C-alpha cells in the first residue's frame, strides 16, 4: 500500500513564532483526520528546530524546502543536507519549479542535491511539471518524462524506495487554477509507467502527489483518482484548518 501524503510547502512565509503557532494548530487538529494520512510540513530553514519541537508527539513529520548540492565548506548562504537532517527533518523538497525557474536549478544540480539528501537519510520529494506553454503545445508528458529520466533514473532501487514524487503543473501553482482530476490522473498514471520502465513493480509503491492550487474544495475529488496519492500544498498549507481539511479529502 502506498503512503497517502499531505505535505505543506510554506515557501518563504511566516516568521518563526508564527510558524510555531501554525505547527501547534496543525498538531492540535491532527486527530480529526484519518491516521492513514501521513502529514509533512516544510517550513523555512530558520523555523526547522522550533517547528520540530512544536510537532513533537503529533506524528507529523518535518521536511525542508531545499538543500545544498555540496556536503560542506565555503558555500556562503547554503544549508547542507546534514544540517537539515540534524534538525529532525525526514524529507526535503527538491526541484520545485520555483527553484528551477528563479534559481536556475538544472538536472545536473538536482542530481547532486539528491545525492546529498540520500547520504544524510533524507527522503526527497522530487517535483516535476510542465509550464503553460508546454501544456498548450501538448508536450506535458514529454517534459515530465525528461525531468524523471534525467534525475530519478539515476537512483538506485534502494534510493528509489524512499522517493516521493510531486507533479505540479507550473500553470496551477499559486494561480487558483487547478488541474482537473482527470488531467491529474492521466499524468500521474503516465509518471507511474515511466517509473515502472526503470524500477519495475516498485513504481506501484511510490507516492505521487499533486500540487498546484490544491485546497479543501478540490482535494477529495483529486485524491479519489487511483494514481493521486496526496498533495503538495502551498497557499492552503498556511492555514491549519485548510491544511487539515485537505487531509480529510481521503476517503477513510
Ligand atoms: P500552491 O503551491 O498550493 O500555492 O499552488 C503549491 C506548491 O508550489 O507546492
Amino acid at each position: 500500500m502506498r503512503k497517502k501524503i499531505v505535505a505543506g510547502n510554506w515557501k518563504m512565509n511566516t516568521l518563526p513564532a508564527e510558524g510555531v503557532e501554525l505547527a501547534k494548530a496543525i498538531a492540535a487538529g491532527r486527530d480529526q483526520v484519518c491516521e492513514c494520512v501521513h502529514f509533512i510540513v516544510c517550513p523555512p530553514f530558520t523555523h526547522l528546530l522550533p517547528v520540530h519541537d512544536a510537532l513533537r508527539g503529533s506524528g507529523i513529520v518535518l521536511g525542508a524546502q531545499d538543500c545544498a548540492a555540496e556536503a560542506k565548506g565555503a558555500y556562503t548562504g547554503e544549508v547542507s543536507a546534514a544540517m537539515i537532517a540534524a534538525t529532525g527533518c525526514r524529507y526535503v523538497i527538491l526541484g520545485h519549479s520555483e527553484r528551477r525557474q528563479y534559481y536556475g536549478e538544472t538536472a545536473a544540480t538536482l542530481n547532486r542535491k539528491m545525492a546529498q539528501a540520500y547520504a544524510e537519510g533524507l527522503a526527497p520529494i522530487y517535483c516535476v511539471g510542465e509550464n503553460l506553454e508546454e501544456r498548450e503545445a501538448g508536450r506535458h508528458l514529454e517534459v515530465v518524462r525528461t525531468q524523471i529520466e534525467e534525475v530519478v533514473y539515476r537512483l538506485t532501487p534502494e534510493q528509489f524506495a524512499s522517493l516521493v514524487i510531486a507533479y505540479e503543473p507550473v500553470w496551477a501553482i499559486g494561480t487558483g487554477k487547478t488541474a482537473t482530476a482527470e488531467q491529474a490522473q492521466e499524468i500521474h498514471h503516465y509518471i507511474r509507467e515511466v517509473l515502472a520502465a526503470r524500477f519495475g513493480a516498485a513504481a506501484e509503491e511510490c507516492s505521487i502527489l499533486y500540487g498546484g492550487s490544491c485546497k479543501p474544495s478540490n482535494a477529495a475529488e483529486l485524491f479519489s483518482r487511483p494514481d493521486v496519492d496526496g498533495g503538495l500544498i502551498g497557499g492552503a498549507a498556511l492555514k491549519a484548518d485548510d491544511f487539515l481539511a485537505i487531509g480529510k479529502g481521503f476517503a477513510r
Side-chain angles (χ1 to χ4, degrees):
M1 267 287 279
R2 306 195 269 274
K3 266 188 198 156
K4 300 179 195 324
I5 297 176
V6 175
N9 174 10
W10 295 3
K11 308 192 180 182
M12 197 170 70
N13 292 298
T14 71
L15 293 175
E18 294 162 341
V20 165
E21 285 312 303
L22 176 56
K24 282 186 182 161
I26 295 167
R30 170 70 189 90
D31 61 1
Q32 301 165 17
V33 184
C34 178
E35 270 183 35
C36 60
V37 180
H38 189 78
F39 279 107
I40 304 169
V41 297
C42 306
F45 291 135
T46 46
H47 311 14
L48 290 173
L49 275 174
V51 167
H52 184 255
D53 284 346
L55 293 174
R56 205 177 290 279
S58 69
I60 298 170
V61 177
L62 194 65
Q65 299 174 19
D66 187 25
C67 73
E70 296 81 17
K72 65 175 185 174
Y75 299 100
T76 301
E78 289 293 275
V79 179
S80 73
M83 294 170 187
I84 290 167
T87 68
C89 269
R90 304 252 299 277
Y91 290 88
V92 60
I93 298 171
L94 289 177
H96 191 282
S97 63
E98 289 153 13
R99 303 284 327 161
R100 293 180 193 260
Q101 197 181 334
Y102 307 143
Y103 303 97
E105 287 196 359
T106 60
T109 312
L110 289 168
N111 282 319
R112 286 160 55 222
K113 292 189 173 193
M114 293 285 259
Q116 293 300 328
Y118 281 113
E120 298 302 331
L122 296 169
I125 302 175
Y126 177 65
C127 303
V128 298
E130 80 287 357
N131 62 31
L132 186 60
E133 199 185 322
E134 292 159 342
R135 163 70 61 168
E136 284 175 346
R139 294 184 47 228
H140 50 293
L141 298 181
E142 174 196 331
V143 167
V144 163
R145 189 184 66 231
T146 303
Q147 290 169 335
I148 291 175
E149 284 175 354
E150 58 194 14
V151 176
V152 179
Y153 272 28
R154 294 173 182 235
L155 302 179
T156 64
E158 293 68 34
Q159 290 174 326
F160 177 68
S162 63
L163 183 75
V164 175
I165 302 255
Y167 166 65
E168 302 201 302
V170 178
W171 48 271
I173 296 178
T175 59
K177 276 193 211 165
T178 317
T180 64
E182 287 68 34
Q183 285 172 325
Q185 170 57 25
E186 178 206 26
I187 202 149
H188 282 227
H189 182 74
Y190 176 74
I191 289 170
R192 204 176 301 287
E193 283 178 352
V194 173
L195 296 173
R198 164 75 175 85
F199 296 102
E204 282 301 313
E205 304 302 316
C206 179
S207 296
I208 305 176
L209 315 184
Y210 169 79
S213 300
C214 185
K215 45 190 181 253
S217 59
N218 58 27
E221 173 75 5
L222 286 159
F223 299 170
S224 70
R225 296 306 192 266
D227 288 293
V228 181
D229 306 310
L232 179 56
I233 320 299
L238 297 172
K239 289 197 186 121
D241 289 347
D242 284 356
F243 190 59
L244 292 164
I246 288 170
K248 292 179 195 160
F250 285 107
R252 276 180 189 258

